[in-house]
Amino acid sequence: MATLDKTSLKLPKENPGAEDFLPLLGTDYVELYVGNAKQAAYYYMAAWGFQPVAYAGLETGLKDKVSYVVQQDKIRLVLTSPLVPGGEINRHIETHGDGVKVIALWVDDAAKSFRETTQRGAKPYFEPRILEDEHGEVKLSGIHTYGETVHVFVERSAYKGVFMPGYRVWNPFYKPEPTGLKYIDHMVGNVGWNEMNKWCEFYAKVMGFAQLVSFDDKDISTEYTALMSKVMSNGNGRIKFPINEPAEGRKKSQIEEYIDFYHGAGVQHMALATDNIIETVTALRNRGVEFLTVPAAYYEDVLERVGEIDESLEPLKELGILIDRDEEGYLLQIFTKPILDRPTLFIEIIQRKGARSFGKGNFKALFEAIEREQESRGTL
Ligand code: FE2
């Protein structure tokens, strides 16, 4: 449970344009700053099927904050809340609402990762440091990325504990069934007007990533709202960061709505992979997760567009799961409504059946669904 297994990570084909001065083994964890970590942990367990793993707070000697670690297969979330007024976490929550602060990347050498990235222009978040307890040591370092989001490099080969020094096992009675979520497929950042290329260049120059696919605003626009998106990926293809910026449409771009409510750039969605999207989405829906719906008309001609698929169409239609195909296969995907009060962060569920793309063919249907939501919020 505590350590991620390198060999069983699903590997897409390598991204040949990327450089490997910064080998990334996978996503180590995603940390959210939230108003109430205890209740957030309950939400991710009850609704999403994450399992309780570790805890740090007053009982472990912390004075000013508390963190709960929950995990489902290779997806590990850290939920952190402040215990006292003032300070960085309160300020982050006041500005952004609940949101993703850290996308932590699993590396072989945290000090080298810091050196390589800061030499290439990354702004340091914190210098390499070592945390130790009776289970060994974890080495960490950190750099800033878009908005107030940061990357923490985690080197944990010499650690046998449950998560990290400072945490203890959290083993409550309540352990709801997992919902079949396996790993983080991609993490999407929203950045401001005309900032997409700047941040793509950051990932290229500072992290050695290369661009996978690009869309322009003609690809991803509806009558009203538009965005532009590029997907940056590391050398072994395990880390994929699409970056979106708003584009001009007749009405407000959904990316602009995000930027307005998040007060800056930040993580828009996490895409979580499953091997059986019908079972996963059925379980999530039964447990209270709300998804965007698509018009029934979407399913009338979808098979003409994507060709034959293994699944029968009826449950996909009933659940609102979208289908798209590229040269290498197809994918099934669905998006939640925002999972917070502000229309900011949401979660995508994705099942890849060969396809390595991101559902471009669904964007129009999807954006129309998002616009209906924006309309109801009066922010279109
Ligand atoms: Fe996505």
Side-chain angles (χ1 to χ4, degrees), residues 186 188 242 269 271 333 335 348 358:
H186 57 278
V188 181
H269 74 270
Q333 64 186 167
F335 300 83
E348 170 183 353
F358 296 82

Side-chain angles (χ1 to χ4, degrees), residues 192-194 216-228 245-256 367 371:
W193 291 94
N194 305 312
D216 65 18
D217 54 347
K218 287 177 201 67
D219 284 319
I220 345 181
S221 65
T222 63
E223 189 185 351
Y224 293 126
T225 79
L227 63 78
M228 293 198 283
E245 73 175 24
E248 291 291 348
R250 271 181 51 196
K251 293 202 178 175
K252 183 183 276 193
S253 168
Q254 54 167 298
I255 309 305
E256 197 180 354
F367 286 9
E371 281 169 18

